[in-house]
Amino acid sequence: MAANKQRNVRNFSIIAHIDHGKSTLADRILEKTKALTEREMKEQFLDAMDLERERGITIKLNAVQLQYEANDGEDYLFHLIDTPGHVDFTYEVSRSLAACEGALLVVDAAQGIEAQTLANVYLALDNDLEIIPVINKIDLPSADVERVKQEIEDVIGIPADDAILASAKSGIGIDEILERIVSDIPAPAGDPEEPTKALIFDSLYDSYRGVIAYTCIKEGSIKIGDKIKMMQTGKEFEVSELGVFTPEPVKKEELTVGDVGFLTASIKNVGDSRVGDTITLAKNPAAEPLPGYKRLNPMVYCGLFPVDADNYNDLREALERLELNDSSLQYEAETSQALGFGFRCGFLGLLHMEIIQERIEREFNIDLITTAPSVIYEVEMNDGEVLNIENPSLMPETKNIKEVREPFVKATVMVPNDFVGPVMEICQKKRGAFVDMEYLDENRVNITYDIPLSEIVYDFFDQLKSQTKGYASFDYELSGYQPSNLVKMDILLNGETVDALSFIVHRDFAYHRGKHIAEKLKKIIPRQQFEVPVQASIGNKVVARTTIKAMRKNVLSKCYGGDISRKRKLLEKQKEGKKRMKMVGKVEIPQEAFMSVLEMSDDD
Amino acid sequence: MERSVYIHIPFCHEICHYCDFAKMYYNRELADQYLNYLRTEMKLYLGDKKINSRTVYIGGGTPTSLNEQQLEKLLSIIHEFINIKETEEFTIEANPGEFSEGHVKVMRDYGINRVSLGVQVLDDDFLKLLNRNHEVRDVDQAVSTLQQYGLNNISMDFIYALPNQSIEHFRKTLDMALDYNLPHYSAYALQIEPRTVFHLRHQQGKLNKPPEEDEAEMLMMLMEKMEKAGKHHYEISNYSENGFESQHNLTYWSNQEYYAFGAGAHGYLNGERYVNLRPVNHYNQSLANQKKPVLHRETISLKEKIEEEMFLGLRRIRGVKDDEFKAKYGYSFYDFYNKEIQQLTQKGWLEDRKRQIYLTKDGFLFGNDVFASFLLDEKTYNRVIHN
């Protein structure tokens, strides 16, 4: 019985670049398998977080169980596990892929393969997944199916002559996709009689039920009432709830091999149910846990501080919650003279950082001040000691330093021919060293540069997008540390160093950037009751200086014809704006000032 | 309780580049229709019994965009609902160069006893920049026509800190304005409002507003010159001879209720602030269905009333008196604001004398900072109220 059931299970995910139509395709599949009635059908069902819908990207994983009656007359159970498309979320992708046996590779028929897709496909190949290429948007006038097929074969090296031609938007090719999932993707291999091994691939916290673990049963089974054991922590719990998503949660008595669903067991402490851990049964435990994920280390650090110091504990709690299903997020307490108590947090990349900030502000309702992101510098002292500095304000004095090394990345930019010039120019300006250039076909080029990560953390991606009209796609991986001529630049407001504004910069660019940031701060920081000098300095040497003039007048003289509500709103806005500012010494600084050291656009 | 009445005429022959009030280009048929609906609205609120109202104010838009017959019709509608005999102050806004002797006769015959002239600046180039449809010489003409018909209670409105305006330039406008020796003057600093031509230019960086320093100096000069000319400062933007303070505007600053009729008008009735539909066709449509043309209304809580009492009252030079506050709310304002009052007096922005608080000269410059500190946080409010 169980074996029969397992034979008809298919676990798969969808790999695609942003905008290539993954969410629409997922919706069509849900529709075809009648998981959703028309009425329930909200556009793009899987992107459930508000933030995801707004940004049109997937951040968190979702797993949905679908029933499909194939042409062979048999009923199949599909588990569609959604994956994020952005390079910052590679970690999440590897998690969802570990729960699958196959993947649909969706490629835009007009745009072809993008660098980020490539990274995810390689991850899938590493995981031994069966890959079914789907060429989407074939009804676009600019579609070039033959070219894309050729590209899939040349770049990825998988046969593409049987790629499915589809248009998720118009519903073309969906039937073929469903049949191919049945015929090409293998059933999960586990044995229902073996000791239980279930992978936790995601989890969230519910204040009534405790931790809800998303799990995929690789061996054996779990029933309600079973005593389970977390293999990493050794903690034991009694299962109170089991279920699957269809996509609404549906409760089950038992989950067995091949099932993908959720589990609760009154787990109150978020740390007791780590994503990537293996669940087994306390009575008959498995000998070995499942191989964990490739744990990724943070590449970018920044300080997060509550605007209101009273929210420090709330912020800690928010970070604990988020860490629960995002173990790539790291944090530790930090104290800044300027900003008080907060946390230094590590992220996989800039987007990851932005998303976490926004989630804290929205889901936990905490106003944050974020300091400019920094990478980890290796500092070799004169006495031979090597320090890892991830917070610019902690950079030791120059005279004690023998050498500073900074992380470099191998950056791959895929771009149409016409933009090779601009891309190389940006890379040069960002202190990049040319590595390689490779023509994928007659008009697409893969350019590889070795670039300091810190330059990527600045506005590299924005510049790339604007200089290539959005055509460039970009991926990077850490390539190691190299010595650089770096200095720490301090910013002084009203004569006092604001530690949260310090940053590390290449000596050749120091003067220019110091001047630029002083001017920028002059624009961002509102006039105060007194004159505020702004200085940028290296050590004791001031390299740039400007002044924020004192405020002279702030009064609304206008009458507004009896519109008192409007006056009130203006005053409330002013008060609210003040609340979101941070008092540093005697100076009130708005949140965005702390990020200003980042933006280096040439036009201002 | 007697309430003041505000009536909005949303028509203009020319749209000024800074204006964000409810307004549209004048059109004769539309204005005729509008006046009928205005009557319907007043009837919905006031019924058949005439009310007494201490002050009535006709604003815009431009009330003088109406032709003589329409003006007469408007005024007779007002007389239908209000005992104007009992009205102390009956004001109409008027644009220089836009009204005839005929208009003025109608005004006088229907009991209007105060005219507020939209002069804005006394320089033809600047008037053009604002897209005003009058010239400096029209102002002379307007004042003498009004005075000829015995309408001596005239006020002039000015805007300063205009694009490219120097302190010297504003001084000239002020001197010319004071040469008329009128009993009342208002002067507002230019405010850039969304959905105006100036806003767009400002965003494109083409507006060239004078720096904050100059704006502050203009305000200081304004206060000085007015004082010297015997027009005392009685509200942030208003100056008058004794006994010529705008009674209508004082009802706003002393936080009293008032009716408002017309498209986009703002009223305050039975503890509720409301705003009417702005587009004239929406306004008309609603009244065609005998429905009050209200776009939005909100009940003002006690906490908000207290806040408004303070930030409106402090706009007046005499400020807020604690005994009056107590009589209205049963608490002393020190119960809510002791800390704020102390801080603001220390800063030199507020004077606290004999249980009466008012803005200092410096306080005027930073009025918004003072007003914003009189918004209560829930904690303080609840502590006082539940004690």
Side-chain angles (χ1 to χ4, degrees), chain B residues 202-214:
Chain B
H202 188 56
Q203 282 192 320
Q204 294 168 338
K206 293 182 194 158
L207 199 62
N208 195 24
K209 271 197 72 163
E212 205 176 297
E213 283 74 16
D214 287 11

Side-chain angles (χ1 to χ4, degrees), chain A residues 310 527 529 549-575 578, chain B residues 20-21 188-189 191 193 212-213 215 219 236-237 258 266 273 298 304 307-308 311 315 349 364-369 371-372 375:
Chain A
D310 291 350
R527 291 178 177 221
Q529 298 297 331
K549 288 197 228 158
M551 177 165 77
R552 291 299 316 280
K553 180 172 182 284
N554 173 27
V555 62
L556 200 68
S557 59
K558 207 173 156 168
C559 172
Y560 285 136
D563 185 357
I564 310 301
S565 309
R566 181 160 178 187
K567 281 198 205 311
R568 161 185 288 286
K569 277 186 198 110
L570 279 163
L571 294 175
E572 276 167 357
K573 211 171 132 198
Q574 169 169 346
K575 198 171 172 183
K578 269 221 153 88
Chain B
D20 71 330
F21 284 110
Y188 308 97
Q191 190 91 22
E193 302 292 349
E212 205 176 297
E213 283 74 16
E215 199 178 315
L219 176 57
I236 287 205
S237 318
Y258 50 95
H266 294 265
R273 293 200 183 273
E298 57 177 330
E304 288 166 330
E307 293 165 344
E308 287 176 3
F311 74 70
R315 296 186 65 92
W349 288 353
F364 281 121
L365 289 169
F366 300 105
N368 282 359
D369 294 289
F371 304 150
L375 297 177

